[in-house]
Amino acid sequence: MQAKSGGTADASRDFASLLPIELTLTDCHGIEKVADLPRRLDDRGSPRACARTTGHIAQSRPSRDIAIVSSSVGLLRLGCFDGEMGTTGQSGAVPVRIERAE
């Protein structure tokens, strides 16, 4: 999976510093896939919420989880996917590699 930036500047840059990253996504209530980052991201000055949009990558605050596919209050948008997101529709745990799109 390739990710484009497009989130809050500090948090997006901090997330980009972790890329490429290999994670195992797990299903969360059938509406998103989640994974645990190795550390919390710098979210100073970030908005409290972001609009629900398929394809966004967001951090669940105050934890260090990231969510893929949807978002709501308490999520900080980090970026979005460029291209297919086929693995997010699979049930169960899904290993993924997220890297920066050029």
Side-chain angles (χ1 to χ4, degrees):
M1 296 181 162
Q2 292 190 326
K4 294 193 297 188
S5 63
T8 304
D10 289 341
S12 291
R13 274 193 294 273
D14 200 14
F15 179 62
S17 75
L18 297 174
L19 301 180
I21 190 169
E22 294 188 12
L23 301 168
T24 299
L25 301 174
T26 56
D27 187 63
C28 183
H29 307 293
I31 59 170
E32 60 194 11
K33 296 288 188 183
V34 297
D36 199 26
L37 292 176
R39 61 175 170 78
R40 285 197 57 203
L41 301 177
D42 179 2
D43 64 356
R44 291 174 286 175
S46 301
R48 283 183 15 97
C50 59
R52 180 180 294 267
T53 305
T54 299
H56 282 183
I57 302 169
Q59 180 185 21
S60 177
R61 297 184 290 181
S63 73
R64 60 183 186 176
D65 294 345
I66 62 166
I68 311 267
V69 177
S70 69
S71 54
S72 62
V73 172
L75 292 183
L76 168 63
R77 184 172 179 229
L78 302 172
C80 60
F81 281 97
D82 181 19
E84 285 297 312
M85 294 179 26
T87 59
T88 60
Q90 295 177 5
S91 61
V94 180
V96 296
R97 177 183 168 96
I98 301 173
E99 55 191 40
R100 188 179 201 146
E102 298 301 321

